[in-house]
Amino acid sequence: MAWLYALLASRPVVWLLLFVNAAGTIYGYYWYRYQLADTPPVFLPFVPDSPTASLFFVLVLAAWLLGRSSPLFEALALVTLVKYGIWAVVMNVLVWRVTGTLDWAGWMLIVSHGAMAVEGMLYARFYRFRFLHLMLAAVWTLHNDVIDYVFGMMPRYSVLADYANEIGYFTFWLSIASIAAAYQLGVRLRRQPLLPGGMSFRQASE
């Protein structure tokens, strides 16, 4: 696996992921434009779930390219990339099952969000966050579930409206699983000696 981590840590790959995730983040906020227009201002930070997850990762990548580590954003990125990556895949598969069809945008969401979950886990060995950072990310994530399913700010899938309670229950446990995965991957496992971008952690700390 050493060759894989060396590839992931190379500056060209980090730059590529930065541009891809930045573009995906911009498109994601655009995708939410109609819902955001109807959202009370107090809830605005919690509505665009997936683009905010990819924004966290963009900030992590940018910090690495500057030779820095951003532990809180790393914890937020790992938890939310895994959670919302899997969530969107499951929701679009459910749309397919309910309606019997899925348009090109739905397939694009499956591929792109599946990639979000994968990249979040692949880069976990480079993260520098501690248990406290993970707990702060857990508070954000579970609070987001309350905003979505208690205050009705969840992403709009009209064909799945009849399953809102079941989806809310699934989402809560997906949050718990994502937090547990982040603990295992980002806190317990031995970290790589180099930060992506070719900068050692010692150099980045100087």
Side-chain angles (χ1 to χ4, degrees):
M1 293 292 288
W3 66 270
L4 175 60
Y5 288 117
L7 178 64
L8 294 174
S10 66
R11 291 184 72 84
V13 171
V14 176
W15 273 110
L16 175 62
L17 286 176
L18 177 66
F19 285 121
V20 169
N21 280 273
T25 298
I26 293 169
Y27 175 78
Y29 285 116
Y30 175 77
W31 188 87
Y32 273 96
R33 65 194 184 280
Y34 298 119
Q35 184 170 352
L36 289 172
D38 296 336
T39 298
V42 69
F43 295 132
L44 285 174
F46 308 103
V47 169
D49 297 327
S50 295
T52 300
S54 60
L55 176 61
F56 290 146
F57 193 51
V58 166
L59 296 174
V60 169
L61 295 171
W64 285 342
L65 288 168
L66 294 172
R68 297 289 182 264
S69 180
S70 50
L72 180 57
F73 285 123
E74 289 169 0
L76 286 165
L78 179 52
V79 173
T80 58
L81 285 173
V82 172
K83 174 188 173 181
Y84 294 116
I86 294 173
W87 188 91
V89 170
V90 172
M91 290 306 106
N92 281 279
V93 170
L94 185 57
V95 169
W96 186 21
R97 290 291 303 272
V98 169
T99 66
T101 185
L102 191 65
D103 60 15
W104 68 269
W107 289 110
M108 181 192 69
L109 289 172
I110 287 176
V111 172
S112 61
H113 284 74
M116 282 173 53
V118 170
E119 70 181 2
M121 291 185 288
L122 282 177
Y123 276 93
R125 294 291 290 270
F126 294 104
Y127 297 153
R128 306 286 166 179
F129 66 79
R130 303 297 181 184
F131 186 74
L132 175 61
H133 303 118
L134 179 58
M135 289 300 95
L136 293 173
V139 170
W140 168 275
T141 303
L142 294 171
H143 177 260
N144 204 97
D145 288 345
V146 173
I147 299 300
D148 280 355
Y149 295 99
V150 175
F151 292 93
M153 296 293 119
M154 73 286 286
R156 293 175 180 172
Y157 282 83
S158 58
V159 298
L160 301 180
D162 291 340
Y163 304 94
N165 290 337
E166 292 82 359
I167 291 172
Y169 184 77
F170 163 74
T171 302
F172 169 77
W173 284 108
L174 181 58
S175 294
I176 297 298
S178 299
I179 294 164
Y183 175 74
Q184 178 65 27
L185 294 172
V187 175
R188 292 195 61 190
L189 292 182
R190 180 174 58 84
R191 295 173 175 84
Q192 295 298 310
L194 293 180
L195 290 173
M199 181 73 73
S200 73
F201 186 52
R202 174 178 294 180
Q203 289 171 314
S205 301
E206 294 175 349

Coordinates of all heavy atoms in Angstrom, one line a residue, residues 103-145:
D103 N -32.6 9.3 -13.7 CA -32.0 10.0 -14.8 C -30.5 10.1 -14.7 O -29.9 9.7 -13.7 CB -32.7 11.4 -14.9 CG -32.5 12.2 -13.6 OD1 -31.6 11.9 -12.8 OD2 -33.2 13.2 -13.5
W104 N -29.9 10.8 -15.7 CA -28.4 10.9 -15.7 C -27.9 11.7 -14.5 O -26.8 11.3 -14.0 CB -28.0 11.6 -17.0 CG -28.4 13.1 -17.1 CD1 -29.5 13.6 -17.6 CD2 -27.6 14.2 -16.6 NE1 -29.5 15.0 -17.4 CE2 -28.4 15.3 -16.8 CE3 -26.4 14.3 -15.9 CZ2 -27.9 16.6 -16.4 CZ3 -25.9 15.5 -15.6 CH2 -26.7 16.7 -15.8
A105 N -28.7 12.6 -14.0 CA -28.2 13.4 -12.9 C -28.2 12.5 -11.6 O -27.3 12.6 -10.8 CB -29.2 14.6 -12.6
G106 N -29.1 11.6 -11.5 CA -29.1 10.6 -10.4 C -27.9 9.7 -10.5 O -27.2 9.5 -9.4
W107 N -27.6 9.2 -11.7 CA -26.4 8.4 -11.8 C -25.1 9.2 -11.5 O -24.2 8.6 -10.9 CB -26.3 7.7 -13.2 CG -27.4 6.7 -13.4 CD1 -28.5 6.8 -14.2 CD2 -27.4 5.4 -12.7 NE1 -29.2 5.6 -14.1 CE2 -28.6 4.7 -13.2 CE3 -26.6 4.8 -11.8 CZ2 -28.9 3.5 -12.8 CZ3 -27.0 3.5 -11.4 CH2 -28.1 2.9 -11.9
M108 N -25.1 10.4 -11.9 CA -23.9 11.3 -11.7 C -23.8 11.5 -10.2 O -22.6 11.4 -9.6 CB -24.1 12.6 -12.4 CG -22.9 13.6 -12.1 SD -23.3 15.3 -12.6 CE -24.5 15.8 -11.4
L109 N -24.9 11.6 -9.5 CA -24.8 11.8 -8.0 C -24.3 10.5 -7.3 O -23.5 10.6 -6.4 CB -26.2 12.2 -7.5 CG -26.7 13.6 -7.8 CD1 -28.1 13.8 -7.4 CD2 -25.8 14.7 -7.1
I110 N -24.7 9.4 -7.8 CA -24.2 8.1 -7.3 C -22.7 8.0 -7.4 O -22.0 7.7 -6.5 CB -24.9 6.9 -7.9 CG1 -26.4 6.8 -7.4 CG2 -24.2 5.6 -7.6 CD1 -27.2 5.7 -8.1
V111 N -22.2 8.3 -8.6 CA -20.8 8.2 -8.9 C -20.0 9.2 -8.1 O -19.0 8.9 -7.4 CB -20.5 8.3 -10.4 CG1 -19.0 8.4 -10.6 CG2 -21.1 7.2 -11.1
S112 N -20.4 10.5 -8.1 CA -19.7 11.5 -7.5 C -19.7 11.4 -5.9 O -18.7 11.6 -5.3 CB -20.2 12.9 -7.9 OG -21.6 13.1 -7.5
H113 N -20.9 11.0 -5.4 CA -20.9 10.9 -3.9 C -20.3 9.6 -3.4 O -19.7 9.6 -2.3 CB -22.4 11.0 -3.5 CG -22.9 12.3 -3.5 ND1 -23.3 13.0 -4.7 CD2 -23.2 13.2 -2.5 CE1 -23.7 14.2 -4.4 NE2 -23.7 14.4 -3.1
G114 N -20.3 8.6 -4.3 CA -19.5 7.4 -3.9 C -18.0 7.7 -3.8 O -17.3 7.3 -2.9
A115 N -17.6 8.5 -4.8 CA -16.2 9.0 -4.8 C -15.9 9.8 -3.6 O -14.7 9.8 -3.0 CB -15.9 9.8 -6.1
M116 N -16.8 10.6 -3.1 CA -16.6 11.4 -1.9 C -16.3 10.5 -0.7 O -15.3 10.8 0.0 CB -17.8 12.3 -1.6 CG -18.0 13.5 -2.4 SD -19.7 14.3 -2.1 CE -19.6 14.5 -0.3
A117 N -17.1 9.5 -0.5 CA -16.8 8.6 0.6 C -15.5 7.9 0.5 O -14.8 7.8 1.5 CB -18.0 7.6 0.7
V118 N -15.1 7.5 -0.7 CA -13.9 6.8 -0.9 C -12.7 7.7 -0.7 O -11.7 7.3 0.0 CB -13.8 6.2 -2.4 CG1 -12.4 5.7 -2.7 CG2 -14.8 5.1 -2.5
E119 N -12.7 8.9 -1.2 CA -11.6 9.8 -1.0 C -11.4 10.2 0.5 O -10.3 10.3 1.0 CB -11.7 11.1 -1.9 CG -12.8 12.0 -1.5 CD -12.8 13.2 -2.4 OE1 -12.1 13.3 -3.4 OE2 -13.7 14.1 -2.2
G120 N -12.6 10.3 1.2 CA -12.5 10.6 2.6 C -11.7 9.6 3.3 O -10.9 9.9 4.2
M121 N -12.0 8.3 3.1 CA -11.4 7.2 3.8 C -9.9 7.0 3.3 O -9.1 6.7 4.1 CB -12.2 5.9 3.6 CG -13.5 6.0 4.3 SD -14.5 4.4 4.2 CE -15.0 4.4 2.5
L122 N -9.7 7.2 2.0 CA -8.3 7.0 1.5 C -7.3 8.0 2.2 O -6.2 7.6 2.5 CB -8.3 7.2 0.0 CG -8.8 6.0 -0.8 CD1 -8.7 6.4 -2.3 CD2 -7.9 4.7 -0.6
Y123 N -7.8 9.2 2.4 CA -6.9 10.2 2.9 C -6.8 10.2 4.5 O -6.1 11.0 5.1 CB -7.2 11.6 2.4 CG -6.6 11.8 1.1 CD1 -7.3 11.6 -0.1 CD2 -5.3 12.3 1.0 CE1 -6.7 11.8 -1.4 CE2 -4.7 12.5 -0.3 CZ -5.4 12.3 -1.4 OH -4.8 12.5 -2.6
A124 N -7.6 9.3 5.1 CA -7.7 9.3 6.6 C -6.4 9.1 7.2 O -6.1 9.6 8.3 CB -8.7 8.3 7.0
R125 N -5.5 8.3 6.6 CA -4.2 8.0 7.2 C -3.3 9.2 7.3 O -2.2 9.2 7.9 CB -3.5 6.9 6.4 CG -4.3 5.5 6.5 CD -4.2 4.9 7.9 NE -2.8 4.5 8.3 CZ -2.4 3.2 8.0 NH1 -3.2 2.4 7.4 NH2 -1.2 2.9 8.4
F126 N -3.6 10.3 6.5 CA -2.8 11.5 6.6 C -3.3 12.5 7.6 O -2.7 13.5 7.9 CB -2.8 12.2 5.2 CG -2.1 11.4 4.2 CD1 -2.8 10.7 3.2 CD2 -0.7 11.3 4.1 CE1 -2.2 10.0 2.2 CE2 -0.1 10.6 3.1 CZ -0.8 9.9 2.2
Y127 N -4.5 12.3 8.2 CA -5.1 13.3 9.0 C -4.4 13.3 10.4 O -3.9 12.3 10.9 CB -6.6 12.9 9.2 CG -7.5 13.0 8.0 CD1 -8.6 12.2 7.9 CD2 -7.1 13.8 6.9 CE1 -9.4 12.2 6.8 CE2 -7.9 13.8 5.8 CZ -9.0 13.0 5.7 OH -9.8 13.1 4.6
R128 N -4.5 14.5 11.0 CA -3.8 14.8 12.2 C -4.7 15.1 13.4 O -4.3 15.6 14.4 CB -2.8 15.9 12.1 CG -1.8 15.8 10.9 CD -0.7 14.8 11.3 NE 0.0 14.4 10.0 CZ 1.0 13.5 10.0 NH1 1.4 13.0 11.1 NH2 1.6 13.2 8.9
F129 N -6.0 14.8 13.2 CA -7.0 15.2 14.2 C -6.9 14.3 15.4 O -6.5 13.1 15.3 CB -8.4 15.4 13.7 CG -9.0 14.1 13.2 CD1 -9.6 13.2 14.1 CD2 -9.1 13.9 11.8 CE1 -10.2 12.1 13.6 CE2 -9.7 12.7 11.4 CZ -10.3 11.8 12.3
R130 N -7.4 14.8 16.6 CA -7.4 14.1 17.8 C -8.9 13.9 18.2 O -9.8 14.3 17.5 CB -6.7 14.9 18.9 CG -5.2 15.2 18.6 CD -4.4 13.9 18.4 NE -3.0 14.2 18.1 CZ -2.1 13.3 17.8 NH1 -2.4 12.0 17.8 NH2 -0.8 13.6 17.6
F131 N -9.0 13.2 19.4 CA -10.4 12.8 19.8 C -11.3 14.1 20.0 O -12.4 14.0 19.7 CB -10.3 12.1 21.1 CG -11.6 11.5 21.6 CD1 -12.2 10.4 21.0 CD2 -12.2 12.1 22.7 CE1 -13.4 9.9 21.4 CE2 -13.5 11.6 23.1 CZ -14.0 10.5 22.5
L132 N -10.7 15.2 20.5 CA -11.5 16.4 20.7 C -12.0 16.9 19.4 O -13.2 17.3 19.3 CB -10.7 17.4 21.4 CG -11.3 18.8 21.6 CD1 -12.6 18.7 22.4 CD2 -10.4 19.8 22.2
H133 N -11.2 16.9 18.4 CA -11.6 17.4 17.1 C -12.8 16.5 16.5 O -13.7 17.0 15.9 CB -10.5 17.4 16.1 CG -9.3 18.2 16.5 ND1 -8.0 17.6 16.7 CD2 -9.1 19.5 16.8 CE1 -7.2 18.6 17.1 NE2 -7.8 19.7 17.1
L134 N -12.6 15.2 16.8 CA -13.7 14.3 16.3 C -15.0 14.6 17.0 O -16.1 14.5 16.4 CB -13.2 12.9 16.5 CG -14.2 11.8 16.1 CD1 -14.6 11.9 14.6 CD2 -13.7 10.4 16.3
M135 N -14.9 14.8 18.3 CA -16.1 15.1 19.1 C -16.8 16.4 18.6 O -18.0 16.5 18.5 CB -15.8 15.2 20.6 CG -15.4 13.9 21.2 SD -16.8 12.6 21.1 CE -16.3 11.7 19.6
L136 N -16.0 17.4 18.3 CA -16.6 18.6 17.7 C -17.3 18.3 16.4 O -18.4 18.8 16.1 CB -15.5 19.7 17.6 CG -15.0 20.2 18.9 CD1 -13.8 21.2 18.6 CD2 -16.0 21.0 19.7
A137 N -16.6 17.5 15.5 CA -17.2 17.1 14.3 C -18.5 16.3 14.5 O -19.5 16.4 13.7 CB -16.2 16.3 13.4
A138 N -18.5 15.5 15.5 CA -19.7 14.7 15.8 C -20.9 15.6 16.2 O -22.0 15.3 15.8 CB -19.4 13.7 17.0
V139 N -20.6 16.6 17.0 CA -21.6 17.6 17.4 C -22.2 18.2 16.2 O -23.4 18.3 16.1 CB -21.1 18.6 18.4 CG1 -22.1 19.7 18.6 CG2 -20.7 17.9 19.8
W140 N -21.3 18.7 15.3 CA -21.8 19.3 14.1 C -22.7 18.4 13.3 O -23.8 18.7 12.8 CB -20.6 19.8 13.2 CG -21.0 20.1 11.8 CD1 -21.2 19.3 10.7 CD2 -21.4 21.5 11.3 NE1 -21.6 20.0 9.6 CE2 -21.7 21.3 9.9 CE3 -21.4 22.7 11.9 CZ2 -22.0 22.4 9.2 CZ3 -21.7 23.8 11.1 CH2 -22.1 23.7 9.8
T141 N -22.3 17.1 13.1 CA -23.0 16.2 12.3 C -24.3 15.8 12.9 O -25.3 15.8 12.2 CB -22.1 14.9 12.1 OG1 -20.8 15.3 11.6 CG2 -22.8 13.9 11.2
L142 N -24.4 15.5 14.2 CA -25.6 15.1 14.8 C -26.6 16.3 14.9 O -27.8 16.2 14.8 CB -25.4 14.5 16.2 CG -24.6 13.2 16.1 CD1 -24.2 12.7 17.5 CD2 -25.5 12.1 15.5
H143 N -26.0 17.5 15.2 CA -26.9 18.7 15.2 C -27.5 18.9 13.8 O -28.6 19.3 13.7 CB -26.0 19.9 15.6 CG -26.7 21.2 15.5 ND1 -26.6 22.1 14.5 CD2 -27.6 21.8 16.4 CE1 -27.4 23.2 14.8 NE2 -28.0 23.0 15.9
N144 N -26.7 18.6 12.8 CA -27.2 18.8 11.4 C -28.4 17.8 11.2 O -29.4 18.2 10.5 CB -26.1 18.5 10.4 CG -26.4 19.1 9.0 OD1 -25.9 20.2 8.7 ND2 -27.2 18.5 8.2
D145 N -28.3 16.6 11.7 CA -29.5 15.7 11.6 C -30.7 16.2 12.3 O -31.8 16.1 11.8 CB -29.1 14.3 12.3 CG -28.1 13.6 11.4 OD1 -27.9 13.9 10.3 OD2 -27.5 12.6 12.0

